[in-house]
């Protein structure tokens, strides 16, 4: 009897671990992080919602669950898609804490704060400034090329596959590496990636302007014909395409300037429609003045 009591007292408590079903549930919840976005603490409610399956698994005691949920209701804000990397690291820390590890509330919140800034800085240029515009441009080119509904379908499938695959892998990498992944931020690679995505985004902007923005003046064709008669077909074509290109670049720069002046894009679009209609009615612009 004494031996049995001694064996029970010396037996180590069973380690609490997250199950594959928990990771899948957390992964699907991550897409709804901004469903309850608020001005005071921004993404805190969404992050707490994402973490709730893990908290339920790791903390059987109700009071411990409440305490854990409260520490994830503090301010949190980062690039939505990059958030999964933070989630993975926090899952690792919560699991360590639930098993008696030396991890307190301050450390968990400090890690979240340290990660959300750099990831927000790289996530917005990468996803909102590069990946999505490139996919949108390719899909729109398919529509213009006569492929119709296949363009939007391709964008929908490609965008969601890219973001969901990244979320899943980022969550897994964050969980496997834990707080060691913060050392990755000190290598300078984030600045390199941010600069590279910005350069690529500007390159794609130039491609989009050259491919889609067309401003054709009625006088251009007449002027090109006159130059062709005097100097040959090459110079006539150069004059016509040169005026169109300069006008397209100028129109793009004006739109960018207006956006930076906090003018609503809706008003800019309405203004372009009005310029096109008035320009065609007055004979200044041709029927293909704006082709997007």
């Amino acid at each position: 009897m004494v031996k049995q009591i001694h064996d029970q007292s010396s037996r180590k408590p069973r380690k609490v671990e997250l199950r594959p079903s928990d990771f899948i549930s957390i992964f699907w919840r991550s897409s709804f992080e901004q469903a309850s976005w608020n001005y005071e603490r921004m993404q805190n409610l969404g992050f707490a919602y994402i973490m709730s399956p893990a908290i339920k698994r790791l903390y059987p005691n109700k009071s411990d669950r409440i305490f854990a949920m409260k520490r994830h209701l503090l301010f949190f804000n980062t690039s939505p898609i990059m958030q999964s990397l933070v989630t993975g690291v926090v899952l690792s820390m919560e699991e360590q804490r639930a098993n008696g590890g030396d991890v307190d509330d301050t450390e968990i919140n400090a890690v979240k704060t340290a990660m959300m800034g750099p990831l927000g800085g790289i996530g917005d240029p990468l996803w909102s400034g590069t990946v999505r515009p490139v996919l949108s441009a390719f899909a729109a080119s398919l529509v213009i090329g006569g492929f119709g509904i296949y363009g939007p379908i391709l964008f929908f499938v490609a965008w969601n596959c890219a973001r969901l695959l990244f979320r899943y892998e980022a969550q897994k990498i964050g969980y496997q590496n834990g707080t060691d992944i913060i050392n990755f931020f000190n290598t300078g690679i984030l600045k390199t990636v941010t600069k590279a995505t910005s350069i690529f985004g500007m390159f794609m902007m130039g491609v989009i302007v050259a491919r889609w923005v067309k401003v054709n003046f009625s006088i251009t064709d007449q002027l090109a014909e006159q130059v062709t008669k005097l100097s040959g077909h090459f110079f006539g074509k150069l004059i016509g395409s040169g005026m169109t290109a300069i006008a397209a670049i100028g129109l793009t720069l004006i739109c960018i300037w207006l956006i930076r002046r906090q003018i609503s894009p809706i008003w800019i679009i309405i203004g372009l429609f009005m310029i096109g209609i008035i320009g065609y009615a007055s004979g200044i612009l041709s029927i293909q003045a704006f082709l997007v």
Side-chain angles (χ1 to χ4, degrees):
M1 183 67 179
V2 176
K3 182 179 180 181
Q4 183 180 359
I5 295 175
H6 177 73
D7 291 341
Q8 291 178 353
S9 62
S10 61
R11 188 179 302 164
K12 294 182 179 180
R14 184 172 60 88
K15 184 178 181 180
V16 183
E17 292 182 344
L18 294 172
R19 299 178 182 178
S21 59
D22 298 325
F23 289 108
I24 294 175
S25 177
I26 293 168
F27 163 69
W28 285 115
R29 283 169 175 249
S30 64
S31 295
F32 301 98
E33 181 191 20
Q34 298 203 106
S36 56
W37 193 94
N38 61 90
Y39 283 101
E40 183 179 359
R41 299 183 182 181
M42 299 191 176
Q43 299 171 350
N44 68 322
L45 293 174
F47 194 86
Y49 172 74
I50 294 170
M51 292 295 299
S52 59
I55 291 173
K56 184 177 180 180
R57 177 74 62 190
L58 296 174
Y59 302 102
N61 187 280
K62 183 178 180 180
S63 60
D64 292 336
R65 292 179 183 177
I66 295 174
F67 195 70
M69 289 295 289
K70 284 184 176 180
R71 66 170 158 265
H72 292 300
L73 290 176
L74 299 178
F75 177 87
F76 182 78
N77 186 47
T78 190
S79 177
I81 298 179
M82 305 299 290
Q83 159 267 320
S84 294
L85 186 62
V86 183
T87 301
V89 175
V90 174
L91 288 174
S92 175
M93 299 181 71
E94 288 286 1
E95 190 175 77
Q96 294 177 37
R97 180 186 174 94
N99 287 285
D102 188 18
V103 179
D104 57 18
D105 295 355
T106 304
E107 186 176 353
I108 293 175
N109 289 318
V111 169
K112 289 170 61 178
T113 302
M115 294 183 67
M116 67 182 185
L119 291 179
I122 189 177
D124 291 338
L126 177 62
W127 292 100
S128 300
T130 302
V131 177
R132 187 162 57 186
V134 169
L135 291 177
S136 301
F138 184 68
S141 65
L142 290 180
V143 175
I144 294 175
F147 289 92
I149 193 63
Y150 293 107
I153 292 175
L154 174 65
F155 171 79
F156 179 82
V157 173
W159 170 251
N160 284 285
C161 286
R163 72 175 185 87
L164 291 176
L165 179 61
F166 179 85
R167 279 187 178 275
Y168 182 81
E169 291 297 327
Q171 178 179 296
K172 182 172 67 174
I173 292 173
Y175 174 75
Q176 292 174 346
N177 292 274
T179 55
D180 292 339
I181 204 167
I182 298 180
N183 297 328
F184 178 75
F185 295 164
N186 299 325
T187 61
I189 193 171
L190 291 182
K191 293 182 179 179
T192 303
V193 173
T194 303
K195 184 177 180 179
T197 54
S198 299
I199 293 174
F200 183 73
M202 293 300 297
F203 170 78
M204 290 305 303
M205 180 61 68
V207 173
I208 291 172
V209 171
R211 174 67 179 83
W212 289 347
V213 182
K214 304 292 183 182
V215 183
N216 295 329
F217 297 95
S218 299
I219 195 174
T220 301
D221 296 334
Q222 303 174 5
L223 182 61
E225 290 179 3
Q226 296 296 327
V227 174
T228 300
K229 293 179 181 179
L230 296 175
S231 304
H233 177 73
F234 173 77
F235 291 100
K237 187 176 181 180
L238 180 63
I239 291 295
S241 60
M243 291 182 63
T244 300
I246 293 173
I249 295 174
L251 179 64
T252 303
L253 294 176
I254 290 173
C255 291
I256 293 175
W257 180 80
L258 290 174
I259 291 174
R260 290 181 175 178
R261 300 286 294 181
Q262 306 299 318
I263 304 299
S264 172
I266 300 298
W267 287 112
I268 295 176
I269 293 173
I270 294 174
L272 292 177
F273 273 113
M274 296 302 298
I275 292 174
I277 294 172
I278 296 174
Y280 175 71
S282 62
I284 298 175
L285 301 176
S286 67
I287 192 66
Q288 296 180 344
F290 297 94
L291 178 58
V292 177

